[in-house]
Amino acid sequence: MRSRPASRVLPALAAVLLAAGVSACGDAAPAKGPASPEPSAAPEAEDARIELAARAALAQDHRFAALYTLDVPGRAQRSIMATVAADGSWRVDVPGGALGGTTNVSIAETEAGVFQCAIPSATNPVTPSCVRVADRGKRVPRRYDPRVQRVFRQWLPVFTDRQAALSVTAAQPLPGSTGSCYSVDTISASLSAPVDVGIYCYADDGLLTAARVTFGTITISGTAAAPPPSVDLPGPVVGGDPMGMDAPPPTTPPTTTASTPATPASGRPSPSA
């Protein structure tokens, strides 16, 4: 048998050994898979949205009577009373809540509808009376609306609606609050937001303990009391227009003109009687 020249055998052997070495290296260091995605803040925000919806659902069923402070920039601190009765009727009394802060007002909802009521005070002893402003479960028209009652009742269905255009994250507790606080923002391009952007704090049983919104800061004072069987309107229901939010125009006293003695044709003043 004829032997192959060394010049042909050695290159072929080197090629085989090189291929085997590359294969062995590939087995020892397998290719890396796709990188794991970075953790996202979305689950945390989703958890906060679920928690707020759960607290708001508890708040809808919670019955109580509690005193709160209302702090509005540029105004003295006021005390407001919020009551949700056992039968589901509710009432929120707001000192200085109408006519530019000159009149106390109450917003109440009973089976007959939603009412705006004038409440007498030491500085403005008006006759208590109520005007029906909306059907039950509906909002007060903006021009008659002190807005404070929205925090306690009328925004709760928005918080429980998972389809509402809201962004919710956990927030640091507001001063004087208890429970958990949530920062609420709107993600809707509409100019009419479903709720006020702000921070809302709820106890474990659904009681609102604090809220910081566009019109001011509400903080619970002391311990909530047991609710009454139902709320009473502070005055009789009357016809006419509800009170507006703007201050009434100043009243101008009638002007008096000094009387001038009549002058007869002769040009001489008439003698006094």
Side-chain angles (χ1 to χ4, degrees), residues 16-271:
V16 172
L17 293 176
L18 180 60
V22 171
S23 175
C25 291
D27 293 339
K32 293 183 179 180
S36 301
E38 293 294 328
S40 171
E44 181 179 350
E46 180 67 15
D47 289 345
R49 183 72 179 89
I50 294 173
E51 289 179 12
L52 176 61
R55 297 289 173 111
L58 291 172
Q60 287 180 309
D61 295 331
H62 193 60
R63 305 292 186 256
F64 67 96
L67 193 66
Y68 292 78
T69 58
L70 173 60
D71 291 286
V72 177
R75 296 192 60 177
Q77 186 181 81
R78 289 170 283 167
S79 294
I80 62 175
M81 185 69 186
T83 302
V84 182
D87 64 355
S89 59
W90 56 266
R91 171 178 162 179
V92 178
D93 295 347
V94 186
L99 298 178
T102 62
T103 303
N104 297 349
V105 67
S106 177
I107 301 295
E109 181 182 276
T110 67
E111 291 185 354
V114 182
F115 298 85
Q116 186 213 65
C117 304
I119 305 175
S121 66
T123 58
N124 190 10
V126 298
T127 302
S129 61
C130 299
V131 178
R132 190 178 187 275
V133 293
D135 294 335
R136 188 177 186 185
K138 301 298 183 181
R139 291 190 177 188
V140 178
R142 186 177 297 275
R143 62 187 179 274
Y144 309 132
D145 188 4
R147 304 176 64 188
V148 178
Q149 81 287 344
R150 298 185 188 183
V151 177
F152 295 99
R153 302 309 296 166
Q154 295 172 331
W155 283 338
L156 295 178
V158 181
F159 291 154
T160 58
D161 182 6
R162 296 295 305 281
Q163 303 303 315
L166 300 179
S167 172
V168 181
T169 56
Q172 293 296 319
L174 293 177
S177 69
T178 58
S180 300
C181 298
Y182 305 91
S183 176
V184 177
D185 200 352
T186 178
I187 57 177
S188 172
S190 171
L191 295 178
S192 179
V195 298
D196 262 14
V197 171
I199 297 175
Y200 299 81
C201 303
Y202 292 93
D204 292 340
D205 59 3
L207 177 67
L208 179 78
T209 60
R212 179 182 293 162
V213 290
T214 56
F215 59 77
T217 301
I218 295 172
T219 310
I220 195 167
S221 299
T223 304
S230 62
V231 299
D232 295 323
L233 296 180
V237 178
V238 298
D241 295 329
M243 296 180 294
M245 295 297 102
D246 297 332
T251 57
T252 303
T255 57
T256 57
T257 304
S259 60
T260 302
T263 303
S266 63
R268 294 180 181 179
S270 301

